[in-house]
Amino acid sequence: MRGPCDSTRRPAASSATSKGPPSALSSSDIAFHALRDYAPGDDRRHVHWRTTARTGKLMVRQFEETRRSHVVVALDNLAEHYASDDEFELAVSVAASISGQTFREEKELTPFSFDGRQSTGTLRSMMDDYTVVEQLRDRISFHELGQKAADLAPNASAVMMIVGPHTTARELNSAANQLPIGVMAVAIRCVDDAEVKRSAIGSLDVVTLGSLDTLARALRAVGR
């Protein structure tokens, strides 16, 4: 186990949010949309059909102004969900990258893992918190990640769950079902050397990526 004072711990998490690297995100990459009830006159192209199917009523995407958006970044740090340390390091770096860009854009942000919550006092303190996240060997029901998101940020507009390759569709669906209706829910599956791919589990958007350099492209596929 590495302690918080280990200066060699996970440098990628910090560098992922610095300016200039190929993996740097822009505001357009994480321009998430909230969902609301359909109103007469709304463009049918904006209907979110998976949520509509789940709720039984038409739901449409609605862009929220940057300062009003509330993004939750929920990091799955259960060891059983990762095939290698590299995949877990990728997941932490992805979570740190999204959190860092969200912080810079002055959106409301709630970043956490199963056993902790990252500081949002300053960008540096948040990045420092990400460098000491450890894999948990405990047996924890995955739906608790979704429940924790709902408890910490009941008015969130988007919930990003950063997960490993062994997080099952059933687990993802159970976590998504804990979230309030109207939240844009996305799972980012981190798999070594995987190509960017988009799929869906119920109303949950799922994107798979294999490197930090493809994060921006993966996020742009969300909700399209």
Side-chain angles (χ1 to χ4, degrees):
M1 297 284 288
R2 302 179 184 88
C5 295
D6 185 350
S7 60
T8 63
R9 172 67 170 150
R10 197 180 290 115
S14 296
S15 62
T17 58
S18 61
K19 295 180 180 178
S23 58
L25 301 177
S26 69
S27 58
S28 62
D29 296 328
I30 53 176
F32 301 116
H33 295 69
L35 300 177
R36 61 167 174 80
D37 291 345
Y38 175 86
D42 283 337
D43 191 330
R44 288 294 185 108
R45 290 176 298 178
H46 297 157
V47 171
H48 195 262
W49 293 109
R50 286 188 293 279
T51 300
T52 294
R54 179 163 68 93
T55 62
K57 59 182 179 179
L58 283 174
M59 302 291 290
V60 296
R61 300 183 187 91
Q62 175 177 270
F63 183 76
E64 291 196 310
E65 294 296 331
T66 295
R67 290 177 185 272
R68 292 180 53 211
S69 298
H70 185 163
V71 178
V72 173
V73 180
L75 174 62
D76 170 13
N77 61 325
L78 300 183
E80 63 182 335
H81 289 161
Y82 296 91
S84 68
D85 288 342
D86 285 345
E87 285 179 338
F88 180 64
E89 298 296 321
L90 173 59
V92 174
S93 293
V94 166
S97 293
I98 295 172
S99 295
Q101 183 61 27
T102 302
F103 183 92
R104 288 193 186 95
E105 293 172 11
E106 299 181 351
K107 295 179 181 178
E108 192 169 355
L109 170 66
T110 301
F112 69 89
S113 59
F114 272 102
D115 61 337
R117 184 173 176 179
Q118 282 68 52
S119 167
T120 54
T122 66
L123 181 60
R124 175 64 179 270
S125 65
M126 183 169 62
M127 293 301 103
D128 286 346
D129 282 354
Y130 271 117
T131 65
V132 294
V133 176
E134 299 284 353
Q135 297 185 64
L136 295 181
R137 307 289 171 182
D138 305 1
R139 300 289 294 182
I140 300 175
S141 295
F142 192 77
H143 80 272
E144 292 184 18
L145 197 71
Q147 186 60 60
K148 189 172 181 180
D151 291 343
L152 290 175
N155 297 316
S157 50
V159 174
M160 311 294 294
M161 293 187 288
I162 319 302
V163 306
H166 297 324
T167 311
T168 67
R170 182 175 181 179
E171 287 175 318
L172 288 172
N173 192 52
S174 71
N177 285 340
Q178 309 306 310
L179 303 175
I181 291 174
V183 171
M184 177 64 77
V186 180
I188 300 179
R189 193 186 294 276
C190 300
V191 183
D192 273 342
D193 298 323
E195 295 295 323
V196 172
K197 180 177 68 173
R198 178 190 171 197
S199 58
I201 299 171
S203 61
L204 179 70
D205 278 312
V206 181
V207 288
T208 300
L209 55 78
S211 73
L212 195 61
D213 290 341
T214 59
L215 175 58
R217 181 156 57 94
L219 289 177
R220 288 194 291 270
V222 173
R224 301 297 192 268

